[in-house]
Amino acid sequence: MEEANMEHDAHHDLHMTPEEEYSSSKLGMWLFLGTEIMLFGGLFAAYAIFRAKYPELFLESHQELNREMGAVNTGILIFSSLTMAIGVTAIQRGKQMLAGIMILVTIICGLGFGVVKYFEYGSKFSHHIYPDTNIFFSLYFMMTGLHMLHVFVGLIVLGVIMVMTFQKKFDEKYSTPVEMGGLYWHLVDLVWIYLFPLLYLVG
């Protein structure tokens, strides 16, 4: 009996308080974001190296990119960061409906980003521009494709969080998943804010 009680106590000790869970989740998310930053940092470094090696090729190739579409997608993601931040603030204040709506708007923005990217890729392919066209487009498709993959992952995560928010699983006392989802989405936006001027404006 005593052994059973000890086992129960040990099991109970394994459960974290909401504060402990929040701290652990936040630390884990920042570590994950750190690895993501290093991943894209490596691609940015590769871009800088090859751009220094082939400046004329990069200048000529980047002029093939559609700046207008890139600018539209930049505006979409900046706006989505705002709606996500409003959603996080809303759930921290216990406003579940507003939080759910703001997350929904964020998801719609992410889908809009994907649609614009779909047409942009389609335009490149129609002009016979592919990843193997040259080193610039190899890096362009790799960096924007990897970023798009992160957008898709973010949309799935936010979709689950949105449903749980509307189901009132989160409130002002427990909003850790919403905050972690917001952190991830801000990283997605931040990476694009670096990609847009690098690829579309500077070349």
Side-chain angles (χ1 to χ4, degrees):
M1 182 67 179
E2 183 177 351
E3 183 177 347
N5 288 335
M6 291 177 62
E7 184 177 349
H8 177 269
D9 291 342
H11 179 71
H12 178 74
D13 291 340
L14 292 177
H15 289 283
M16 295 186 292
T17 65
E19 291 77 14
E20 290 172 335
E21 181 183 346
Y22 175 77
S23 298
S24 300
S25 298
K26 200 166 187 177
L27 175 62
M29 178 54 76
W30 278 113
L31 289 174
F32 170 72
L33 296 182
T35 61
E36 294 295 294
I37 290 172
M38 286 192 288
L39 172 63
F40 280 100
L43 291 174
F44 283 128
Y47 183 92
I49 292 170
F50 284 108
R51 184 180 183 280
K53 192 172 182 179
Y54 308 106
E56 294 181 358
L57 171 67
F58 273 57
L59 182 61
E60 181 181 343
S61 297
H62 106 96
Q63 292 173 348
E64 298 292 332
L65 301 184
N66 190 316
R67 291 186 182 182
E68 288 74 18
M69 284 188 173
V72 168
N73 264 348
T74 302
I76 288 174
L77 281 190
I78 290 174
F79 180 72
S80 73
S81 249
L82 174 64
T83 57
M84 191 65 224
I86 295 173
V88 171
T89 302
I91 198 65
Q92 288 172 336
R93 296 177 179 176
K95 298 178 180 178
Q96 296 156 318
M97 182 58 71
L98 176 60
I101 291 173
M102 287 296 101
I103 297 171
L104 173 61
V105 173
T106 304
I107 292 172
I108 293 173
C109 289
L111 292 172
F113 180 91
V115 169
V116 173
K117 207 68 198 161
Y118 168 80
F119 283 109
E120 190 178 357
Y121 279 164
S123 175
K124 295 290 168 294
F125 297 151
S126 68
H127 289 86
H128 305 288
I129 297 175
Y130 301 102
D132 61 352
T133 298
N134 59 40
I135 185 63
F136 174 86
F137 284 108
S138 294
L139 288 168
Y140 164 79
F141 281 108
M142 185 184 301
M143 296 168 86
T144 58
L146 185 61
H147 176 264
M148 196 65 237
L149 179 63
H150 282 71
V151 171
F152 283 138
V153 171
L155 291 177
I156 294 171
V157 171
L158 292 184
V160 173
I161 290 174
M162 180 192 69
V163 171
M164 295 178 72
T165 301
F166 280 128
Q167 291 175 342
K168 302 185 185 304
K169 298 288 181 66
F170 309 124
D171 53 29
E172 66 272 27
K173 295 179 181 176
Y174 178 63
S175 58
T176 300
V178 181
E179 294 182 43
M180 297 306 108
L183 273 177
Y184 178 85
W185 191 254
H186 292 319
L187 172 75
V188 170
D189 295 351
L190 181 66
V191 170
W192 180 258
I193 287 173
Y194 279 99
L195 283 176
F196 174 62
L198 185 71
L199 297 172
Y200 293 79
L201 302 182
V202 178

